[in-house]
Amino acid sequence: MLMAIILLLQREMKAAYSMLNNPLKTLTKKEWLLWLVSLTVVILSNLATNDLDLLTLISALLGVTALIFAAKGNVWAQFLMIIFCILYGIISFRFHYWGEMITYLGMTLPMAAWSAITWLRNPSEENENEVAIRTLNKKHIIGLTISTVIVTGIFYYILAWLDTPNIMFSTLSIVTSFIAASLTMLRSSYYAVGYAANDIVLIVLWVLASLENPAYIPVVVNFAIFLLNDMYGFMSWKKRELERV
């Protein structure tokens, strides 16, 4: 029994080590192009403003890179997402978007850490650099639905108590963020659909913010680029899922 446990741990450690290899080596020419174009657009949009915010720029560059790695099913995406959550939480705090701050620091960040562990423990049999894709069953869907309703109700009252600006969009952002983070943890290809929906909500939120302060226009551009990358992520995971069938 002890030997079997040791062998199991050795296999898991070997698989985890394989997933922690340099993720840049796995990118295709198309993905390199998408990544570099995304980085360029983000940099130019941030430099174009009169009030360059290095925190916004760095968080966007990390976010774009995380999405490219996520599209590959690479666990490094989750590590970068943890850093992104911290930086984005600070940005949201400065504009008093309490919902965004609480969501990313109190929910998305710990779920990204949990997802990192889950992904490391479930490498794909076809490619150890990628996480194995899971097909959701009725139990997953029911559990996700119930937990989303509960989380939405709790966070709405918290946001109302904090007098959060644009509370309806902030609440909708929480819903889409929770669904996206949960689907990521569950290793579902639909995680990217959740994040794409969240990107659309965040584009609206930061457009409203930029009407008050034009310095936030680069944040709008950043999430537009995120939307493009999340759409690619969904297509990438679906392609792998169909090839597996």
Side-chain angles (χ1 to χ4, degrees):
M1 177 65 71
L2 179 59
M3 184 58 68
I5 295 175
I6 293 174
L7 290 174
L8 178 61
L9 290 174
Q10 287 179 337
R11 284 198 297 270
E12 288 192 354
M13 290 179 63
K14 182 180 179 181
Y17 179 78
S18 297
M19 293 191 73
L20 291 173
N21 287 334
N22 184 358
L24 295 177
K25 294 181 179 179
T26 66
L27 298 183
T28 64
K29 291 182 179 180
K30 180 171 61 176
E31 288 161 348
W32 270 101
L33 179 62
L34 176 61
W35 183 44
L36 293 177
V37 169
S38 298
L39 294 179
T40 301
V41 172
V42 166
I43 292 172
L44 292 178
S45 67
N46 280 267
L47 291 177
T49 182
N50 293 327
D51 300 313
L52 175 63
D53 184 1
L54 286 177
L55 192 63
T56 299
L57 175 58
I58 293 171
S59 66
L61 296 177
L62 285 173
V64 167
T65 306
L67 293 180
I68 288 292
F69 293 163
K72 298 293 292 184
N74 191 287
V75 71
W76 280 104
Q78 303 308 320
F79 297 134
L80 292 180
M81 181 57 68
I82 291 171
I83 302 174
F84 172 80
C85 287
I86 296 172
L87 298 181
Y88 183 65
I90 296 172
I91 295 170
S92 300
F93 171 78
R94 294 188 307 193
F95 192 73
H96 297 171
Y97 269 161
W98 308 119
E100 293 300 289
M101 184 188 74
I102 295 171
T103 299
Y104 275 81
L105 294 180
M107 184 179 70
T108 306
L109 189 154
M111 292 183 77
W114 193 353
S115 294
I117 296 172
T118 303
W119 284 27
L120 283 171
R121 298 185 63 182
N122 293 276
S124 171
E125 294 181 1
E126 294 79 16
N127 187 342
E128 291 185 346
N129 292 317
E130 302 172 347
V131 66
I133 299 175
R134 169 193 274 173
T135 301
L136 300 182
N137 55 37
K138 290 183 179 180
K139 182 179 178 181
H140 293 138
I141 296 173
I142 293 174
L144 182 58
T145 301
I146 295 174
S147 57
T148 299
V149 172
I150 294 173
V151 168
T152 301
I154 293 173
F155 273 83
Y156 177 80
Y157 283 106
I158 293 175
L159 298 183
W161 181 70
L162 292 171
D163 195 24
T164 304
N166 305 311
I167 188 170
M168 293 309 298
F169 285 110
S170 291
T171 303
L172 188 57
S173 175
I174 290 173
V175 174
T176 52
S177 293
F178 179 76
I179 293 174
S182 298
L183 292 174
T184 301
M185 189 174 58
L186 291 170
R187 298 179 283 116
S188 168
S189 58
Y190 288 95
Y191 86 92
V193 176
Y195 276 119
N198 184 241
D199 293 333
I200 294 172
V201 175
L202 293 180
I203 288 172
V204 174
L205 268 177
W206 289 106
V207 164
L208 295 174
S210 64
L211 292 176
E212 297 184 29
N213 186 348
Y216 289 107
I217 292 177
V219 183
V220 177
V221 177
N222 295 343
F223 280 110
I225 295 298
F226 285 11
L227 176 60
L228 175 64
N229 282 271
D230 279 320
M231 291 171 62
Y232 173 75
F234 176 66
M235 291 187 294
S236 179
W237 276 55
K238 265 302 174 184
K239 181 181 178 181
R240 281 206 297 134
E241 192 172 15
L242 293 173
E243 289 176 347
R244 187 188 63 180
V245 178

